[in-house]
Amino acid sequence: QQQVKQSPQSLIVQKGGISIINCAYENTAFDYFPWYQQFPGKGPALLIAIRPDVSEKKEGRFTISFNKSAKQFSLHIMDSQPGDSATYFCAASTTGANNLFFGTGTRLTVIP
Amino acid sequence: DAGVTQSPTHLIKTRGQQVTLRCSPKSGHDTVSWYQQALGQGPQFIFQYYEEEERQRGNFPDRFSGHQFPNYSSELNVNALLLGDSALYLCASSLNPGAQETQYFGPGTRLLVL
């Protein structure tokens, strides 16, 4: 079964808008939550990651919000740009096990 | 500094055949993980190699096997190919398998099974 559920499947945002992608998990042993960005023909690249001891992490235009009690986390992309058009994957893993469980991906399109 | 490299980039095989995919990790990395990414899906963990041994394995049959060499490069072998094995196979490298270090992915090998 899917250990990390991701929504929406696709997202269209105007340039300058905010893109929001949501993920939920069931396994409370997960303690590392990265987001990956994947362009066509490329492998996923780490964008930003968070651990459950903080509720928010910001790096430039990218912010992760984390809700431990709800077992949910989300990626916010502020001032979205056409160059942000890509597929975004949330993922999760546990300490001592470096294998990542990925969501199903969100295809983001930013319209100029 | 070379990142993760994979070969070949594309491959076409027929059902029942065997295939070998190759991966060279990022310089300085000693751990290699393999993932299968079906079209429109997220990557799924196959297995991880560290110190030339399989350390973790995902929910994949024994038809999927691997190897890590002393220089940390790795191979993924798939026997008795099925149509459902058609996917993008990603290699990721990292340092220290248990420390949740960032995994760096290669561009992948796209396998088509006919």
Side-chain angles (χ1 to χ4, degrees), chain A residues 1-108:
Chain A
Q1 72 282 14
Q2 193 72 32
Q3 297 226 21
V4 179
K5 296 182 180 179
Q6 183 171 347
S7 63
Q9 188 175 358
S10 62
L11 184 61
I12 300 174
V13 173
Q14 293 276 359
K15 178 183 175 181
I18 302 173
S19 303
I20 302 174
I21 304 170
N22 300 298
C23 285
Y25 64 97
E26 287 298 324
N27 187 348
T28 54
F30 286 149
D31 57 4
Y32 176 66
F33 303 90
W35 283 88
Y36 280 82
Q37 179 189 57
Q38 185 175 29
F39 292 103
K42 303 286 187 181
L46 179 68
L47 199 59
I48 186 173
I50 197 169
R51 298 185 190 276
D53 52 346
V54 297
S55 60
E56 186 174 282
K57 183 174 181 180
K58 184 176 180 179
E59 288 184 3
R61 296 184 294 110
F62 301 93
T63 300
I64 299 178
S65 297
F66 186 82
N67 186 330
K68 188 174 181 178
S69 60
K71 291 183 287 186
Q72 294 175 349
F73 58 110
S74 60
L75 175 69
H76 292 65
I77 305 175
M78 312 300 288
D79 187 26
S80 298
Q81 299 297 312
D84 296 331
S85 297
T87 300
Y88 292 80
F89 293 96
C90 60
S93 71
T94 59
T95 298
N98 210 13
N99 56 306
L100 293 165
F101 292 91
F102 282 85
T104 50
T106 296
R107 191 171 195 172
L108 171 65

Side-chain angles (χ1 to χ4, degrees), chain B residues 91-114:
Chain B
C91 169
S93 75
S94 57
L95 191 61
N96 192 342
Q100 290 177 330
E101 297 286 339
T102 300
Q103 292 194 36
Y104 293 83
F105 284 83
T109 293
R110 187 162 295 281
L111 172 65
L112 178 61
V113 182
L114 300 176

Side-chain angles (χ1 to χ4, degrees), chain B residues 76-96:
Chain B
L76 163 65
N77 300 291
V78 187
N79 294 321
L81 284 167
L82 304 174
L83 296 180
D85 295 331
S86 295
L88 179 68
Y89 288 85
L90 295 163
C91 169
S93 75
S94 57
L95 191 61
N96 192 342

Side-chain angles (χ1 to χ4, degrees), chain B residues 32-105:
Chain B
V32 173
S33 301
W34 286 92
Y35 291 80
Q36 180 195 65
Q37 186 176 18
L39 200 62
Q41 299 296 315
Q44 282 198 296
F45 176 74
I46 303 174
F47 43 53
Q48 182 184 83
Y49 276 84
Y50 173 67
E51 292 186 335
E52 302 180 47
E53 289 187 9
E54 182 182 295
R55 297 291 176 163
Q56 295 179 57
R57 189 178 183 92
N59 190 23
F60 279 81
D62 292 344
R63 298 187 297 109
F64 289 77
S65 63
H67 188 77
Q68 186 179 34
F69 299 94
N71 67 352
Y72 308 121
S73 66
S74 176
E75 288 182 349
L76 163 65
N77 300 291
V78 187
N79 294 321
L81 284 167
L82 304 174
L83 296 180
D85 295 331
S86 295
L88 179 68
Y89 288 85
L90 295 163
C91 169
S93 75
S94 57
L95 191 61
N96 192 342
Q100 290 177 330
E101 297 286 339
T102 300
Q103 292 194 36
Y104 293 83
F105 284 83

